[in-house]
Structures are given as C-alpha cells and as structure tokens.
Amino acid sequence: MPRKFIKRFMPNHEVIKRQKALKIFGNVLYNPNLWCLNRRSAAGAFAVGLFMAFVPLPSQMIMAAGLAILFGVNLPLSVALVWISNPVTMPVLFYFAYKVGAFCLSTPTQPFHFELSWQYLSEQMSTIGPPFLLGCLLCAAIASIAGYFGIRGLWRYSVVRSWQQRSLR
C-alpha cells in the first residue's frame, strides 16, 4: 500500500537526472539504489527531506539531494519532501521554529517587523538569530525522527495487514 501510494506521486527518474542543478553530482545519479523504493529508502528519504525542510538556507533541494546520495536513500522522495516548506508554508514553519527556540532558550519573543536591508538583517540575526536557528535545528530533528519511524511503522503495518488478508483468503 505505501509503496503504490508513494510511487503515484514520484516523478520519473529520467527527468530528474536531466536537471541542470543536479549535474554537480555527476555519475552518482546513476546508482540504482537512489531510485528504488523500499521501506529503508522511503523512511530515510522522509528523514532527509523533513530535516532539510527546516533548514533556513536557499537551495534546500540540492542539499537534500546531496544527503540522499550520501545516505543512499530515495532521491526523488527526499527532494520532493523539501517542498513542505514552500513559499506559502515557510513563514508559519519558521515562526514556529523561532517560538520553539525562544522557549528552549527562555528568551522573550521579539515583535516582528520586516525591512529589506543588510543593517536590518545583521541586527535581527543578533537578536532573533540564536532562538531561530536552535528552533530550526530542533524542529528539523524532531520532524526527521518522526518521519523516519512513522514511515517505517506505516510500511510495516501495511505489510502485516496484507499478509493477514492473504492468509484469510
């Protein structure tokens, strides 16, 4: 069940291999383990993708691809899961991460007003930077662990249930 469900939403690996941004990885993309879908690779891809979704840097997809190659997990799934933090959801996720970091550091939250200047960015990174980065790290770790064990558990449950249905037939 999870395998069929996930495969419906995965892009074709030939299309992904032709992406210009992924050319930096060279022939490593031709490793068949990066494209297979099993319990280990899917759970690892969820862990990588959910972790990278909370990283507040541009090019999260390329970093997720690099980690997927490093850990040998499903590449398309890990890159696709980064889009949980898309332009619509990113303010909510990062504000939540800031609140988590401020709670952990026991610092009061600062009022938010945005200004597009280097002075504003450097000033804000000194005040809200530490709680924000700590919150991003904690949220990334928790989401990654929950995604890994959640997918492994769901996959196991699906396999056990299909075996039970076969034995009843």
Side-chain angles (χ1 to χ4, degrees), residues 6 10 21 38 42 54-56 66 88 93-94 98 102 112 125 138 141 146:
I6 292 171
M10 283 183 37
N38 55 36
F54 280 95
V55 172
V88 174
L93 290 175
F94 286 163
Y98 168 67
F112 182 75
M125 286 313 287
L138 289 174

Side-chain angles (χ1 to χ4, degrees), residues 121-135:
L121 288 175
S122 64
E123 180 182 303
Q124 289 299 325
M125 286 313 287
S126 65
T127 59
I128 67 169
F132 173 64
L133 294 175
L134 177 66

Side-chain angles (χ1 to χ4, degrees), residues 16-65:
I16 293 174
K17 286 179 188 176
R18 288 188 298 239
Q19 294 294 321
K20 288 181 182 179
L22 296 178
K23 295 289 184 194
I24 61 172
F25 297 116
N27 290 335
V28 177
L29 292 177
Y30 295 103
N31 182 356
N33 292 332
L34 298 176
W35 308 102
C36 72
L37 187 62
N38 55 36
R39 182 172 59 191
R40 182 198 161 281
S41 69
F46 264 78
V48 167
L50 291 175
F51 186 87
M52 291 310 299
F54 280 95
V55 172
L57 294 174
S59 70
Q60 295 169 316
M61 291 174 49
I62 293 174
M63 291 186 285

